[in-house]
Structures are given as C-alpha cells and as structure tokens.
Amino acid sequence: MKAVKGQRGIVLLETAVSLPILMLLLTAAVAMLLVSVRNYFRVLADAELHQEMQIAFTRIVQDLTEAEYVTPYRQNYPGIEIHKRWYALRDYNGSTDVWELYWLAEVKQTTKLIWGWDRSAPMTGDYSLADVEMQEISGTEEKRHPGLYRVRLKGRSRFTNHYYTLSTAVYLPRWEGEMTDGFQ
C-alpha cells in the first residue's frame, strides 16, 4: 500500500509539465504554418508580377521589331509611340503616320499599362493577388548609336512591394528602301 500511496501525484505532475510543452509545440507548428502560407502567397504575387510584366514587354518588343522609330508620348501621360513601317501593317492604307501607343494611366487607383486608346482594357494590373502597379515605360534612342533604341518597363507589386524591371535594346535600321546595291 505504501508503494501505491507514493505514486498518486505522479500523473498529475506529468500532466502539469507536459501540457505547457505540448501547447508550446502546437503554437510553434501554427506559427510555422502561418509563415509558410504568407510566403506562399508572396511567391505567387511575385510570379504574377513577373508574368504580367513579361507578357506586356513581349508585346512591346514585338511591335518594336516592326517599327521605323520610337518617340515619347507627347501628352500628359508617360508612354511611348512606336511608329510602324508601312509593310508591317495588315491593312496598309497608304498613310505614313501609323503607330502603336503604350502609356501609363491611373485606372481604379492603380497605374496601369495601356495599349492604344482604350483605358477600359489595360494590359497590366487586372489580377487581384499581386496588385501590379506600373512605375515606368520609356523608349529612347542612343545618342551615339543612331537607330538603337533602349526600351524599359518597370513595375511593382503592391502586395510584396517588390519591383521588377525589364529592358532591352532594339536596333531599327535607318534608310531602308534607299539602298542602291540591289537589295530593295
């Protein structure tokens, strides 16, 4: 009987010690789960930022390969005008003033990249996770290298506050059609 009498408080003591340890382990597991979920959404938002920027930039560079020259957009909004060569057009009507327009405008409290004149259908910023906001679009000719244009597109994810910048140089040969060596 004496042996049983001495064992009576051990279960209560084990429970009193193990319960706080178990709560500490559960709290650590929940904290790790929350951090993992937050990082998962941050990675998704950054991937969305990269995807939106790359799709828009690919479109701009594709238009640049058909261009004669690039000028800054001359209105109140930052942007570029890509003046196309006549043979790059599907419906050539004889006009020498054919161009593509890419500009930044505020739509629903977010700066978005717009192609053409239609503000209601922006190229970027329509997905909900990253909340992509465009920062800059530029296309400038190198002073020392005529015909070489540097194009830059910069955006930011409002969710992660990460920036993503794409830039390239496109050479647009001058005086096309004026060559006299048989390659007209």
Side-chain angles (χ1 to χ4, degrees), residues 160-177:
T160 62
N161 202 30
H162 291 166
Y163 290 85
Y164 189 58
T165 304
L166 294 165
S167 67
T168 190
V170 176
Y171 178 67
L172 304 176
R174 300 277 177 133
W175 307 289
E176 198 169 88

PDB file of all heavy atoms in Angstrom, residues 160-177:
ATOM      1  N   THR A 160       3.705  42.728 -52.309  1.00  0.00           N
ATOM      2  CA  THR A 160       5.030  42.413 -51.756  1.00  0.00           C
ATOM      3  C   THR A 160       5.957  43.619 -51.724  1.00  0.00           C
ATOM      4  O   THR A 160       7.006  43.554 -51.105  1.00  0.00           O
ATOM      5  CB  THR A 160       5.710  41.312 -52.584  1.00  0.00           C
ATOM      6  OG1 THR A 160       5.910  41.789 -53.917  1.00  0.00           O
ATOM      7  CG2 THR A 160       4.897  40.040 -52.584  1.00  0.00           C
ATOM      8  N   ASN A 161       5.596  44.688 -52.431  1.00  0.00           N
ATOM      9  CA  ASN A 161       6.439  45.873 -52.586  1.00  0.00           C
ATOM     10  C   ASN A 161       7.755  45.543 -53.291  1.00  0.00           C
ATOM     11  O   ASN A 161       8.761  46.209 -53.072  1.00  0.00           O
ATOM     12  CB  ASN A 161       6.693  46.572 -51.251  1.00  0.00           C
ATOM     13  CG  ASN A 161       7.066  48.020 -51.456  1.00  0.00           C
ATOM     14  OD1 ASN A 161       6.648  48.651 -52.417  1.00  0.00           O
ATOM     15  ND2 ASN A 161       7.875  48.544 -50.541  1.00  0.00           N
ATOM     16  N   HIS A 162       7.749  44.515 -54.135  1.00  0.00           N
ATOM     17  CA  HIS A 162       8.918  44.169 -54.932  1.00  0.00           C
ATOM     18  C   HIS A 162       8.800  44.828 -56.305  1.00  0.00           C
ATOM     19  O   HIS A 162       7.710  44.909 -56.872  1.00  0.00           O
ATOM     20  CB  HIS A 162       9.038  42.654 -55.105  1.00  0.00           C
ATOM     21  CG  HIS A 162       9.379  41.954 -53.834  1.00  0.00           C
ATOM     22  ND1 HIS A 162       9.269  40.595 -53.692  1.00  0.00           N
ATOM     23  CD2 HIS A 162       9.832  42.403 -52.643  1.00  0.00           C
ATOM     24  CE1 HIS A 162       9.638  40.240 -52.480  1.00  0.00           C
ATOM     25  NE2 HIS A 162       9.973  41.325 -51.831  1.00  0.00           N
ATOM     26  N   TYR A 163       9.940  45.261 -56.831  1.00  0.00           N
ATOM     27  CA  TYR A 163       9.998  45.885 -58.148  1.00  0.00           C
ATOM     28  C   TYR A 163      10.542  44.883 -59.157  1.00  0.00           C
ATOM     29  O   TYR A 163      11.341  44.017 -58.818  1.00  0.00           O
ATOM     30  CB  TYR A 163      10.916  47.113 -58.123  1.00  0.00           C
ATOM     31  CG  TYR A 163      10.340  48.258 -57.338  1.00  0.00           C
ATOM     32  CD1 TYR A 163      10.506  48.334 -55.960  1.00  0.00           C
ATOM     33  CD2 TYR A 163       9.626  49.266 -57.973  1.00  0.00           C
ATOM     34  CE1 TYR A 163       9.978  49.378 -55.240  1.00  0.00           C
ATOM     35  CE2 TYR A 163       9.092  50.319 -57.255  1.00  0.00           C
ATOM     36  CZ  TYR A 163       9.274  50.367 -55.888  1.00  0.00           C
ATOM     37  OH  TYR A 163       8.738  51.396 -55.177  1.00  0.00           O
ATOM     38  N   TYR A 164      10.109  45.030 -60.405  1.00  0.00           N
ATOM     39  CA  TYR A 164      10.588  44.167 -61.487  1.00  0.00           C
ATOM     40  C   TYR A 164      10.804  45.065 -62.697  1.00  0.00           C
ATOM     41  O   TYR A 164       9.899  45.806 -63.100  1.00  0.00           O
ATOM     42  CB  TYR A 164       9.568  43.068 -61.788  1.00  0.00           C
ATOM     43  CG  TYR A 164      10.038  42.011 -62.737  1.00  0.00           C
ATOM     44  CD1 TYR A 164      11.173  41.253 -62.478  1.00  0.00           C
ATOM     45  CD2 TYR A 164       9.341  41.747 -63.904  1.00  0.00           C
ATOM     46  CE1 TYR A 164      11.583  40.266 -63.348  1.00  0.00           C
ATOM     47  CE2 TYR A 164       9.749  40.759 -64.782  1.00  0.00           C
ATOM     48  CZ  TYR A 164      10.868  40.018 -64.491  1.00  0.00           C
ATOM     49  OH  TYR A 164      11.283  39.041 -65.357  1.00  0.00           O
ATOM     50  N   THR A 165      11.993  45.009 -63.264  1.00  0.00           N
ATOM     51  CA  THR A 165      12.344  45.866 -64.384  1.00  0.00           C
ATOM     52  C   THR A 165      12.805  45.006 -65.550  1.00  0.00           C
ATOM     53  O   THR A 165      13.610  44.092 -65.368  1.00  0.00           O
ATOM     54  CB  THR A 165      13.471  46.839 -63.988  1.00  0.00           C
ATOM     55  OG1 THR A 165      13.059  47.579 -62.849  1.00  0.00           O
ATOM     56  CG2 THR A 165      13.796  47.786 -65.121  1.00  0.00           C
ATOM     57  N   LEU A 166      12.307  45.328 -66.722  1.00  0.00           N
ATOM     58  CA  LEU A 166      12.734  44.678 -67.949  1.00  0.00           C
ATOM     59  C   LEU A 166      13.242  45.755 -68.891  1.00  0.00           C
ATOM     60  O   LEU A 166      12.629  46.819 -69.016  1.00  0.00           O
ATOM     61  CB  LEU A 166      11.568  43.933 -68.612  1.00  0.00           C
ATOM     62  CG  LEU A 166      11.013  42.752 -67.841  1.00  0.00           C
ATOM     63  CD1 LEU A 166       9.669  42.335 -68.410  1.00  0.00           C
ATOM     64  CD2 LEU A 166      11.983  41.598 -67.892  1.00  0.00           C
ATOM     65  N   SER A 167      14.358  45.484 -69.553  1.00  0.00           N
ATOM     66  CA  SER A 167      14.858  46.431 -70.542  1.00  0.00           C
ATOM     67  C   SER A 167      15.589  45.662 -71.632  1.00  0.00           C
ATOM     68  O   SER A 167      16.104  44.568 -71.399  1.00  0.00           O
ATOM     69  CB  SER A 167      15.779  47.467 -69.903  1.00  0.00           C
ATOM     70  OG  SER A 167      16.954  46.855 -69.450  1.00  0.00           O
ATOM     71  N   THR A 168      15.599  46.257 -72.796  1.00  0.00           N
ATOM     72  CA  THR A 168      16.307  45.666 -73.926  1.00  0.00           C
ATOM     73  C   THR A 168      16.677  46.781 -74.887  1.00  0.00           C
ATOM     74  O   THR A 168      16.215  47.909 -74.761  1.00  0.00           O
ATOM     75  CB  THR A 168      15.452  44.592 -74.633  1.00  0.00           C
ATOM     76  OG1 THR A 168      16.265  43.894 -75.564  1.00  0.00           O
ATOM     77  CG2 THR A 168      14.271  45.202 -75.353  1.00  0.00           C
ATOM     78  N   ALA A 169      17.498  46.437 -75.833  1.00  0.00           N
ATOM     79  CA  ALA A 169      17.856  47.372 -76.897  1.00  0.00           C
ATOM     80  C   ALA A 169      17.442  46.731 -78.216  1.00  0.00           C
ATOM     81  O   ALA A 169      17.675  45.548 -78.450  1.00  0.00           O
ATOM     82  CB  ALA A 169      19.351  47.651 -76.886  1.00  0.00           C
ATOM     83  N   VAL A 170      16.816  47.525 -79.067  1.00  0.00           N
ATOM     84  CA  VAL A 170      16.361  47.053 -80.377  1.00  0.00           C
ATOM     85  C   VAL A 170      16.963  47.968 -81.424  1.00  0.00           C
ATOM     86  O   VAL A 170      16.870  49.188 -81.317  1.00  0.00           O
ATOM     87  CB  VAL A 170      14.814  47.072 -80.471  1.00  0.00           C
ATOM     88  CG1 VAL A 170      14.356  46.667 -81.853  1.00  0.00           C
ATOM     89  CG2 VAL A 170      14.213  46.169 -79.416  1.00  0.00           C
ATOM     90  N   TYR A 171      17.588  47.344 -82.413  1.00  0.00           N
ATOM     91  CA  TYR A 171      18.174  48.130 -83.496  1.00  0.00           C
ATOM     92  C   TYR A 171      17.172  48.238 -84.634  1.00  0.00           C
ATOM     93  O   TYR A 171      16.683  47.242 -85.145  1.00  0.00           O
ATOM     94  CB  TYR A 171      19.471  47.486 -83.997  1.00  0.00           C
ATOM     95  CG  TYR A 171      20.086  48.240 -85.142  1.00  0.00           C
ATOM     96  CD1 TYR A 171      20.599  49.517 -84.956  1.00  0.00           C
ATOM     97  CD2 TYR A 171      20.135  47.686 -86.411  1.00  0.00           C
ATOM     98  CE1 TYR A 171      21.145  50.229 -85.998  1.00  0.00           C
ATOM     99  CE2 TYR A 171      20.692  48.387 -87.463  1.00  0.00           C
ATOM    100  CZ  TYR A 171      21.194  49.663 -87.250  1.00  0.00           C
ATOM    101  OH  TYR A 171      21.726  50.357 -88.290  1.00  0.00           O
ATOM    102  N   LEU A 172      16.864  49.466 -85.022  1.00  0.00           N
ATOM    103  CA  LEU A 172      15.956  49.729 -86.123  1.00  0.00           C
ATOM    104  C   LEU A 172      16.758  50.376 -87.242  1.00  0.00           C
ATOM    105  O   LEU A 172      17.122  51.549 -87.152  1.00  0.00           O
ATOM    106  CB  LEU A 172      14.824  50.664 -85.669  1.00  0.00           C
ATOM    107  CG  LEU A 172      14.029  50.183 -84.462  1.00  0.00           C
ATOM    108  CD1 LEU A 172      13.020  51.239 -84.048  1.00  0.00           C
ATOM    109  CD2 LEU A 172      13.360  48.869 -84.746  1.00  0.00           C
ATOM    110  N   PRO A 173      17.073  49.606 -88.288  1.00  0.00           N
ATOM    111  CA  PRO A 173      17.924  50.152 -89.354  1.00  0.00           C
ATOM    112  C   PRO A 173      17.290  51.355 -90.020  1.00  0.00           C
ATOM    113  O   PRO A 173      16.094  51.386 -90.272  1.00  0.00           O
ATOM    114  CB  PRO A 173      18.084  48.998 -90.335  1.00  0.00           C
ATOM    115  CG  PRO A 173      17.228  47.906 -89.851  1.00  0.00           C
ATOM    116  CD  PRO A 173      16.637  48.272 -88.545  1.00  0.00           C
ATOM    117  N   ARG A 174      18.111  52.338 -90.294  1.00  0.00           N
ATOM    118  CA  ARG A 174      17.663  53.558 -90.956  1.00  0.00           C
ATOM    119  C   ARG A 174      17.780  53.414 -92.467  1.00  0.00           C
ATOM    120  O   ARG A 174      18.463  52.542 -92.976  1.00  0.00           O
ATOM    121  CB  ARG A 174      18.526  54.748 -90.520  1.00  0.00           C
ATOM    122  CG  ARG A 174      18.493  55.029 -89.054  1.00  0.00           C
ATOM    123  CD  ARG A 174      17.279  55.861 -88.738  1.00  0.00           C
ATOM    124  NE  ARG A 174      17.199  56.091 -87.317  1.00  0.00           N
ATOM    125  CZ  ARG A 174      16.976  57.250 -86.801  1.00  0.00           C
ATOM    126  NH1 ARG A 174      16.820  58.299 -87.532  1.00  0.00           N
ATOM    127  NH2 ARG A 174      16.890  57.374 -85.487  1.00  0.00           N
ATOM    128  N   TRP A 175      17.138  54.327 -93.157  1.00  0.00           N
ATOM    129  CA  TRP A 175      17.253  54.481 -94.599  1.00  0.00           C
ATOM    130  C   TRP A 175      16.898  53.204 -95.355  1.00  0.00           C
ATOM    131  O   TRP A 175      17.479  52.870 -96.357  1.00  0.00           O
ATOM    132  CB  TRP A 175      18.655  54.938 -94.997  1.00  0.00           C
ATOM    133  CG  TRP A 175      19.032  56.153 -94.248  1.00  0.00           C
ATOM    134  CD1 TRP A 175      18.527  57.402 -94.415  1.00  0.00           C
ATOM    135  CD2 TRP A 175      19.950  56.235 -93.162  1.00  0.00           C
ATOM    136  NE1 TRP A 175      19.079  58.271 -93.509  1.00  0.00           N
ATOM    137  CE2 TRP A 175      19.966  57.572 -92.725  1.00  0.00           C
ATOM    138  CE3 TRP A 175      20.761  55.317 -92.503  1.00  0.00           C
ATOM    139  CZ2 TRP A 175      20.756  57.999 -91.676  1.00  0.00           C
ATOM    140  CZ3 TRP A 175      21.547  55.753 -91.468  1.00  0.00           C
ATOM    141  CH2 TRP A 175      21.535  57.075 -91.052  1.00  0.00           C
ATOM    142  N   GLU A 176      15.967  52.476 -94.843  1.00  0.00           N
ATOM    143  CA  GLU A 176      15.544  51.261 -95.514  1.00  0.00           C
ATOM    144  C   GLU A 176      14.800  51.632 -96.781  1.00  0.00           C
ATOM    145  O   GLU A 176      13.964  52.515 -96.801  1.00  0.00           O
ATOM    146  CB  GLU A 176      14.634  50.465 -94.588  1.00  0.00           C
ATOM    147  CG  GLU A 176      14.509  49.035 -95.018  1.00  0.00           C
ATOM    148  CD  GLU A 176      13.826  48.241 -93.948  1.00  0.00           C
ATOM    149  OE1 GLU A 176      12.592  48.175 -93.965  1.00  0.00           O
ATOM    150  OE2 GLU A 176      14.529  47.692 -93.092  1.00  0.00           O
ATOM    151  N   GLY A 177      15.087  50.953 -97.865  1.00  0.00           N
ATOM    152  CA  GLY A 177      14.446  51.249 -99.151  1.00  0.00           C
ATOM    153  C   GLY A 177      15.257  52.206 -99.974  1.00  0.00           C
ATOM    154  O   GLY A 177      15.000  52.396-101.147  1.00  0.00           O
TER     155      GLY A 177
END
